[in-house]
Amino acid sequence: MLPSKFVEEAGFPIPWQERDLQKYISDRLTARGFTTRLEAPANGGRADIVTNWQGGAIIECKKYLDRNSIFQAVGQLNLYGLNNTYKLIVMGFLTPDAREQPSALKTASMVEQDGRIQVVFVNLEEEWLPGAKVRISFGKLNFLNLRLPQLPNFHSWHWWFNVAKAHPLILILVGSLFLGILPDIKKFASNTSGTNLEQKAIESAHQE
């Protein structure tokens, strides 16, 4: 989609400014369930958007992305990304200058060789177009803060008590199983006791 058509359908004011695109991107992320902060302080500068999209991302918006503006945005993001692990994302319209488009696309591909950096031409990707269906996400969940499940402490009687309290059926089944094998236990104990007596009698006879 041409930037002019995008701006018209998105309802940007005329003339529009970079902050209008910034707000548009922020609103789209919010509609998808993510949280965003605009003009967030970051290592001595102000990041256009900080969001929990993609597990945590810093977005630098430019009106038009050509070779120079991409390099400029990446430089800013590298500063904002110091001492954190946020994804670094450049977003804006692909330059309408047809002569500059090949170098812009090549530059985007080149900087994306760093797996932490991503370049998004919002007028070329359907999910960002005005009127495109919004895909709801569980972005408000911070998966990085989820703790790995801990193994239960089988040696603690508190754990067994809590299990029995929460699942009385398990207690009944265990009790039934124990009562079912109780006769076999008694029989085994009786046989063992008889065997021990016979052994003692034999040893006593040998001693005499």
Side-chain angles (χ1 to χ4, degrees):
M1 178 183 289
L2 291 174
S4 57
K5 182 67 172 177
F6 188 111
V7 167
E8 179 185 348
E9 293 190 7
F12 286 13
I14 301 298
W16 68 280
Q17 299 181 20
E18 191 173 282
R19 65 170 177 263
D20 299 310
L21 177 60
Q22 180 179 322
K23 184 177 184 304
Y24 175 86
I25 293 170
S26 176
D27 289 345
R28 292 286 293 188
L29 288 171
T30 301
R32 291 170 59 183
F34 298 100
T35 56
T36 63
R37 285 187 298 148
L38 300 177
E39 297 295 329
N43 292 331
R46 301 191 74 84
D48 287 343
I49 303 173
V50 176
T51 174
N52 61 347
W53 176 44
Q54 298 196 41
I58 302 173
I59 300 173
E60 180 63 26
C61 298
K62 298 295 182 186
K63 291 181 70 172
Y64 299 107
L65 297 179
D66 56 18
R67 179 178 181 275
N68 292 333
S69 62
I70 291 173
F71 278 136
Q72 180 185 358
V74 169
Q76 291 174 262
L77 288 170
N78 281 326
L79 172 63
Y80 303 151
L82 291 175
N83 302 319
N84 62 60
T85 57
Y86 279 47
K87 185 88 172 177
L88 307 177
I89 304 176
V90 181
M91 299 187 73
F93 297 128
L94 174 64
T95 175
D97 188 338
R99 296 169 300 177
E100 296 291 332
Q101 289 176 357
S103 64
L105 294 171
K106 183 177 180 179
T107 302
S109 177
M110 182 176 64
V111 298
E112 284 183 337
Q113 292 181 29
D114 181 340
R116 193 182 177 192
I117 297 174
Q118 181 181 356
V119 180
V120 177
F121 299 100
V122 293
N123 60 317
L124 301 185
E125 298 192 14
E126 185 174 354
E127 65 178 305
W128 296 102
L129 299 181
K133 185 176 179 180
V134 174
R135 296 179 298 174
I136 303 299
S137 172
F138 296 102
K140 292 184 179 180
L141 294 176
N142 190 345
F143 293 100
L144 298 179
N145 287 336
L146 290 179
R147 297 179 61 186
L148 293 174
Q150 300 296 313
L151 292 175
N153 183 5
F154 295 108
H155 297 290
S156 171
W157 68 270
H158 292 285
W159 185 85
W160 290 105
F161 176 78
N162 289 331
V163 169
K165 184 178 179 180
H167 306 283
L169 182 59
I170 293 178
L171 187 62
I172 295 172
L173 291 174
V174 171
S176 299
L177 178 63
F178 178 76
L179 292 176
I181 65 174
L182 185 59
D184 292 331
I185 294 175
K186 289 181 177 179
K187 183 178 178 181
F188 176 77
S190 178
N191 290 340
T192 302
S193 177
T195 301
N196 289 339
L197 289 174
E198 290 178 3
Q199 184 67 30
K200 288 182 179 179
I202 293 171
E203 290 176 355
S204 178
H206 282 301
Q207 290 175 358
E208 293 177 357

